Amino acid sequence: MTSNKLTQEGAEPTRPAGRQGLIKPLRTLLDTSGLIAVFMLLFIALAVFIPDFLTGRNMVGLLLSITLIGSLATTMMLVLALGEVDLSVASIVAFAGVVAAVVTSSTGSVFIGVIGGVVAGGAVGAFNGFVIARFGINSLIATLAAMEFVRGLAYITSGGDAVMITVPGFFDLGSASFLGLTLPVWTMLACFVIFGVVLNMTAFGRNVLATGGNSEAASLAGVNVRRLKIIVFGLQGVVAGVVGVLLASRMGLGDPNTSMGLELAVISACVLGGVALSGGVATITGVVVGVLIMGCVQNAMGLLNVPTFYQYLVRGAILLLAVMFDRWKQTRRQRA
C-alpha cells in the first residue's frame, strides 16, 4: 500500500495530514517569494544607479546574454534535483557546436548539421547517465572525466582549431527573430516552460524529486532509478547540444575553446534559485529568478566596464554565497 502510494505521488511514502501537510509547500513558497524580492530589489537598484541599464536595447541584450545559462539551467535543475551534478555541460556545448559546423560544411545541409550536433550532445549526456547509473560512480567524478575527454573530442573533431561554417543558412539559426526576440531567446523560454511542466505536472518530475530525496525509497516504490538517471542526463546532453548549435550559429564557427567555465555559472544559477545540492528540492520559478540574478549582475559589470579579472572574483563570490545559502537552508529543513 505504501509502495503504491509513493509511486503515484512520486515523493513521500505517506502524505502528512492537516497543517503538517502544508509545511513543505509553504516553506517552498516563502523561499521563492524571498528570492523574487531579492531580484526585484537588485533590479531596481541597477536601474536607478547604472546608466542605460533600463533601456530597451539593453534589456534585449540582457535576455540574449542569459540564453546559454538559462537553457542549460532547466536540465541542470533536474540533474541537481536527482542529487547528482554535471560538470561536462560546457564541453558538450563546445563539442556539439564543432560537430554541427563540421557536418554542415561537409554535407551542405543545415538540417543534417543541426541534427548531428544535437545527437552528439544527447549521446554524451546519455553515456554520462549510463556510467553513473550502471557502475555507481560519483557523478562529480564521472562528469569531471567527461568534461576532459569531451573537450578533447571537440579538439580532435575540429583538428585543434575553430571550424568555419561555409553554409550561409546556418547563420540564420542564431539571428532569426520573432516579435523582436531571437531564436536563442525563444529556445530558452521554451525550455523554461517545457521543463517547468515536466517538473511540476508529470510523474517523471515527481519521481526525479523523490529519487533525489531518497533514492532507496523511490526504488522500493517501483521507480526505475537507473533509467531515470540515464534519461535526465540524456536530456541535459540534448539541451547542451541545442545550445551548442545555436552558439555556433551566432559565432559563425564551431570553436572547441568556447564555453569555458559555463558549467559553474549554470550550477550557480540553479543553487541561487533554491535547487538543493543534496537533491529532492527544485522549482522552475526559482531557477528562472536565479538565472536573471546572474544575468543582471553580469550585465551591470559589463556596463560599468569592470575588468574581466574582477568579474571572475564576483562570479566566484556568488557561487560561494549560493552554496552557503543552500547549506543554511538544508540545516533549517533538518531542524524543522
Side-chain angles (χ1 to χ4, degrees):
M1 180 70 178
T2 300
S3 176
N4 292 336
K5 194 167 186 177
L6 175 56
T7 304
Q8 294 170 1
E9 296 173 2
E12 300 170 342
T14 57
R15 184 187 298 274
R19 287 181 296 178
Q20 292 297 321
L22 297 175
I23 291 178
K24 186 174 180 179
L26 285 176
R27 184 184 295 127
T28 302
L29 178 62
L30 289 174
D31 287 342
T32 304
S33 300
L35 186 64
I36 293 174
V38 169
F39 167 68
M40 292 179 65
L41 290 174
L42 173 66
F43 189 87
I44 292 171
L46 295 178
V48 171
F49 295 108
I50 298 182
D52 300 326
F53 178 79
L54 204 55
T55 62
R57 182 176 181 179
N58 187 60
M59 289 295 99
V60 173
L62 173 61
L63 283 177
L64 185 60
S65 70
I66 64 175
T67 53
L68 296 182
I69 296 176
S71 299
L72 292 171
T74 57
T75 42
M76 184 66 78
M77 169 187 69
L78 298 178
V79 172
L80 294 176
L82 270 178
E84 308 290 350
V85 68
D86 188 354
L87 297 179
S88 67
V89 286
S91 296
I92 297 176
V93 168
F95 178 55
V98 168
V99 170
V102 169
V103 173
T104 299
S105 297
S106 61
T107 64
S109 171
V110 175
F111 177 77
I112 296 177
V114 170
I115 295 298
V118 175
V119 169
V124 174
F127 177 76
N128 285 341
F130 173 77
V131 169
I132 293 165
R134 177 65 180 82
F135 300 103
I137 300 176
N138 184 285
S139 60
L140 179 68
I141 303 302
T143 58
L144 181 62
M147 178 178 72
E148 296 294 336
F149 76 70
V150 174
R151 184 72 66 172
L153 284 176
Y155 282 114
I156 293 171
T157 304
S158 66
D161 201 359
V163 179
M164 301 301 296
I165 299 171
T166 58
V167 180
F170 190 85
F171 306 139
D172 294 338
L173 296 174
S175 60
S177 63
F178 176 69
L179 298 178
L181 300 177
T182 59
L183 182 58
V185 175
W186 284 113
T187 300
M188 177 186 67
L189 296 177
C191 286
F192 285 149
V193 173
I194 292 171
F195 291 105
V197 170
V198 167
L199 181 68
N200 296 313
M201 302 179 66
T202 67
F204 178 83
R206 292 191 293 273
N207 287 338
V208 167
L209 294 174
T211 302
N214 190 327
S215 61
E216 292 184 3
S219 181
L220 290 173
V223 177
N224 190 327
V225 174
R226 285 186 178 181
R227 184 174 64 184
L228 190 67
K229 289 183 178 182
I230 294 173
I231 293 174
V232 168
F233 276 92
L235 289 173
Q236 176 78 90
V238 168
V239 172
V242 172
V243 169
V245 170
L246 293 176
L247 181 60
S249 176
R250 289 168 57 187
M251 296 172 60
L253 49 83
D255 187 359
N257 293 302
T258 193
S259 306
M260 294 286 190
L262 179 62
E263 65 282 341
L264 297 182
V266 174
I267 293 172
S268 298
C270 288
V271 177
L272 271 176
V275 181
L277 289 173
S278 58
V281 178
T283 64
I284 189 63
T285 303
V287 169
V288 172
V289 176
V291 168
L292 289 173
I293 290 175
M294 291 287 294
C296 286
V297 171
Q298 186 68 40
N299 182 265
M301 290 192 294
L303 291 174
L304 294 174
N305 295 316
V306 176
T308 303
F309 40 88
Y310 286 114
Q311 294 186 27
Y312 281 113
L313 289 177
V314 173
R315 288 198 293 267
I318 291 175
L319 177 58
L320 179 60
L321 290 173
V323 173
M324 291 174 64
F325 182 59
D326 175 70
R327 179 60 182 170
W328 174 77
K329 288 192 299 181
Q330 288 184 40
T331 303
R332 191 183 64 172
R333 281 194 293 266
Q334 291 170 359
R335 292 176 178 175

